[in-house]
Amino acid sequence: MQKTKFPAVAATFIVCFVFWVLLDFSFKVEELIAGAVVSLLVALFSARFFIQEDAGWFFNPSHLFAMIGFWFFTFVGELIKANLNMARICFGGCKDINPGIVKVPTEMKSDYGLAALSNSITLTPGTITMEATEEDGQNYLYVHWINVQETDPEKAGEAIKGTLEKGLRRVWQ
Amino acid sequence: MLIRIIIDLLIAVGLVFACAGTIGILKMPDPFSRMQAATCISTLGMLGVAVGGVLYAAVIMHSASSAIKIAVIALMIMVTNPVGSHAIAKGAYSHGYRPEKKMETDDLGRDFDE
């Protein structure tokens, strides 16, 4: 268990406080003070679970804009494509499926990068990340795929997460 | 008037995807495939309705706080849904559930079920 560090507490405090303001949406001074106190308490207790690596990562504008560009353009495009595909399968009577679990290698190194990539894969209809492992310094994801077209790991990885991984690697290494 | 048509279209698109997901849940042969179909509901099905709701709250109700609350709800669903799907799928698999029809390829079983 690592110790609580000041940058981690500050970053957690900012995230908590922004959520308080968004949900409460009243700008009276007493409400803002109450929110700040609660956010500070939560940040003090939970910062070491919430942030394990560099806390200032997102406050760097280039990372932030890369992230926003990824979620609002690349990811939404992939999401719409996969949703149309899944809707076609469902309205067609669910006959056109060929489920299987494939193991795909990934270039992601950091924990946050892996988490973001596997969550994006799970959010896309048609693929669910089941497990992540590391073998000899190379990270692998086990992905349940509704319509297996490739069993070769490299090609399957390209088909499942090619675009997502390219977009995410601009944010995390 | 145009904005009202756009809002209705967005909500209708969301409902079409939710309908597709529901048909998938009822007709898919095994739980893993059923969860794949259910993802449809919580992504585009939810997003269509949520974006429609945000536009409705902002443009027709003139209530910024409602619009932001709907946006935060959509964000929260998008963040928490994959964690839940992953946990259910992994739990079902490690509990020993396998589809009746043999899967095309099963690398997870090959590597962990020695």
Side-chain angles (χ1 to χ4, degrees), chain A residues 67 70-71 75 104-124 127-129 139-141 143 157 160-169 172, chain B residues 82:
Chain A
M67 192 73 185
F70 172 74
W71 287 118
F75 182 67
V104 297
T106 170
E107 301 289 314
M108 287 291 178
K109 293 277 184 285
S110 73
D111 284 355
Y112 290 128
L114 267 178
L117 179 64
S118 46
N119 278 358
S120 316
I121 290 174
T122 309
L123 261 183
T124 323
T127 47
I128 292 181
T129 316
N139 289 308
Y140 292 94
L141 297 174
V143 179
I160 290 174
K161 64 176 173 55
T163 331
L164 295 174
E165 189 167 34
K166 255 179 240 131
L168 275 175
R169 273 178 69 76
W172 284 286

Side-chain angles (χ1 to χ4, degrees), chain B residues 39-109:
Chain B
T39 318
C40 245
I41 304 174
S42 53
T43 54
L44 263 200
M46 182 276 297
L47 273 183
V49 177
V51 173
V54 167
L55 282 179
Y56 185 84
V59 179
I60 294 180
M61 282 165 62
H62 297 294
S63 156
S65 71
S66 306
I68 284 177
K69 271 169 202 160
I70 297 171
V72 170
I73 291 169
L75 177 73
M76 280 299 168
I77 295 177
M78 294 292 274
V79 172
T80 52
N81 167 57
V83 182
S85 311
H86 158 73
I88 296 171
K90 192 177 164 184
Y93 198 90
S94 56
H95 185 67
Y97 189 84
R98 300 290 181 276
E100 278 168 30
K101 186 167 165 283
K102 197 158 168 14
M103 285 197 272
E104 170 74 20
T105 164
D106 187 357
D107 292 353
L108 192 58

Side-chain angles (χ1 to χ4, degrees), chain A residues 67-88:
Chain A
M67 192 73 185
I68 290 173
F70 172 74
W71 287 118
F72 281 87
F73 298 101
T74 320
F75 182 67
V76 169
E78 287 291 303
L79 198 60
I80 290 172
K81 238 189 285 170
N83 263 290
L84 287 174
N85 201 14
M86 181 52 95
R88 189 179 53 74

